[in-house]
Amino acid sequence: MAREAGSEVSLCVKYTLFLWNFILWIVCLCITGLGGYILYIKDKKVHDPIDFFFDPSTLMCTAGSIAVVVTFFGWLGALREYTACLRIYSWIVTIFFLGEIVLIILIFVFYFVPDAKQKLGLFPEKAFKDAIKKYGVVDDDDMKNLIDNMQKSLACCGFTDSDVGFLDWDDNEYYRCTNVTKPNPERCSVPPSCCVDEPGKMKNVLCGRGVMQYNNATNKLEENSKEHNAINKAGCLKAVGTFINDHAIVIGGGMLGVLIPQMYFMYLSRTLRQQVLAQRAKWRK
């Protein structure tokens, strides 16, 4: 049906919003399907937040499902000019936009105000410690690979915001150095992903052996000074803070790259809804 002359609805706004959301909807359907298929193959069971957040397939499935719903409202509202769908779409995108702004502020506050993490009590340090406890103990290769990749990428070891984060691995059943009840060749060690990656040299996967020791005199866990193995010692939260300090401009640019398209979609959805309402008001006269 041809649109009447003098229509208030811009076809450019309408089809730009429709096409972008429809393409994203198809992509997100594929991501959700892939994540769901992986979960089915693994027979994944989520028992706690660690099982959820440290498994890429659960994140793919959840994030993909949310995006499928949001983009569905976007392309359907634009194509059929449903103002209710456009309003829901605009609200959801606005909520995500504001949530991301709050998250960005919290990230920078956490790393530029040292005491903020403890005072606010929002940082999931216990969850990270639970991840270390489950590493290699629970049969979940995806979780193990995610932790290994994180330690390799950030050149860190352990999760705490400390220069001796590698001592966190004392919480793991296999690497424990204190209260050991069974003999274990990996006792007082850290995973190979903690090893320093030296370009041009073959990595020594045993570099983390015996890097911890329990000092009976002080009753404290400490670095084994007799071992001079090439491992990254700082915790990953410490490494993240260093990364933010060193790449603040790049990170800021990346965040703008995420936020600006959302602002554009918010503008398109609200503009289209106002145009549709204005056109309907004319038709009623």
Side-chain angles (χ1 to χ4, degrees), residues 28-50:
C28 292
L29 273 177
C30 295
I31 292 173
T32 305
L34 178 60
Y37 176 73
I38 294 173
L39 290 175
Y40 173 75
I41 293 297
K42 292 178 12 178
D43 193 22
K44 173 75 176 185
K45 293 179 176 60
V46 177
H47 301 288
D48 52 44
I50 291 301

Side-chain angles (χ1 to χ4, degrees), residues 8-275:
E8 294 288 339
V9 179
S10 168
L11 293 179
C12 180
V13 171
K14 173 177 178 175
Y15 288 111
T16 298
L17 185 62
F18 164 71
L19 285 174
W20 273 108
N21 278 279
F22 188 75
I23 291 170
L24 290 173
W25 183 69
I26 295 296
V27 172
C28 292
L29 273 177
C30 295
I31 292 173
T32 305
L34 178 60
Y37 176 73
I38 294 173
L39 290 175
Y40 173 75
I41 293 297
K42 292 178 12 178
D43 193 22
K44 173 75 176 185
K45 293 179 176 60
V46 177
H47 301 288
D48 52 44
I50 291 301
D51 290 337
F52 181 86
F53 288 107
F54 279 78
D55 190 330
S57 54
T58 58
L59 296 178
M60 285 172 59
C61 199
T62 304
S65 299
I66 294 172
V68 164
V69 173
V70 175
T71 52
F72 173 77
F73 282 117
W75 72 257
L76 182 64
L79 181 65
R80 304 299 300 169
E81 297 181 3
Y82 291 152
T83 55
C85 287
L86 291 172
R87 180 188 296 171
I88 293 171
Y89 174 79
S90 179
W91 283 352
I92 295 175
V93 175
T94 301
I95 290 170
F96 279 125
F97 178 81
L98 295 175
E100 289 163 14
I101 293 292
V102 172
L103 180 61
I104 291 168
I105 292 172
L106 285 176
I107 289 173
F108 279 94
V109 166
F110 280 163
Y111 286 103
F112 289 105
V113 182
D115 297 331
K117 291 193 288 290
Q118 286 74 22
K119 290 181 179 179
L120 293 176
L122 297 176
F123 209 80
E125 195 163 325
K126 182 179 180 299
F128 287 133
K129 289 183 178 180
D130 288 341
I132 284 181
K133 290 178 181 178
K134 290 189 173 186
Y135 179 94
V137 178
V138 177
D139 185 18
D140 193 334
D141 289 337
D142 287 337
M143 179 191 296
K144 183 175 180 294
N145 291 335
L146 183 62
I147 294 174
D148 283 336
N149 289 331
M150 187 184 300
Q151 292 192 145
K152 290 176 185 177
S153 301
L154 295 173
C156 58
C157 190
F159 281 113
T160 54
D161 186 9
S162 166
D163 290 323
V164 288
F166 72 98
L167 297 178
D168 295 343
W169 286 101
D170 182 58
D171 291 332
N172 183 273
E173 180 180 328
Y174 293 122
Y175 301 114
R176 182 171 296 144
C177 199
T178 57
N179 300 320
V180 179
T181 56
K182 297 180 181 179
N184 191 339
E186 295 182 324
R187 178 176 177 241
C188 299
S189 303
V190 295
S193 55
C194 288
C195 298
V196 174
D197 189 10
E198 300 180 78
K201 293 185 178 180
M202 184 178 294
K203 178 179 283 189
N204 177 14
V205 294
L206 300 179
C207 73
R209 288 291 177 91
V211 294
M212 295 184 288
Q213 69 175 4
Y214 184 73
N215 191 324
N216 291 317
T218 60
N219 291 324
K220 289 184 179 179
L221 186 68
E222 58 187 31
E223 180 182 359
N224 186 356
S225 58
K226 295 180 182 179
E227 296 289 339
H228 300 283
N229 297 320
I231 67 164
N232 298 302
K233 298 179 182 178
C236 288
L237 298 182
K238 183 81 172 180
V240 169
T242 302
F243 182 84
I244 290 176
N245 288 330
D246 294 343
H247 303 87
I249 296 177
V250 176
I251 293 171
M255 290 174 176
L256 284 176
V258 173
L259 295 176
I260 289 176
Q262 292 182 48
M263 294 171 64
Y264 181 57
F265 288 138
M266 288 160 57
Y267 163 76
L268 289 179
S269 60
R270 291 181 180 181
T271 300
L272 181 59
R273 180 171 177 272
Q274 290 170 358
Q275 290 176 350

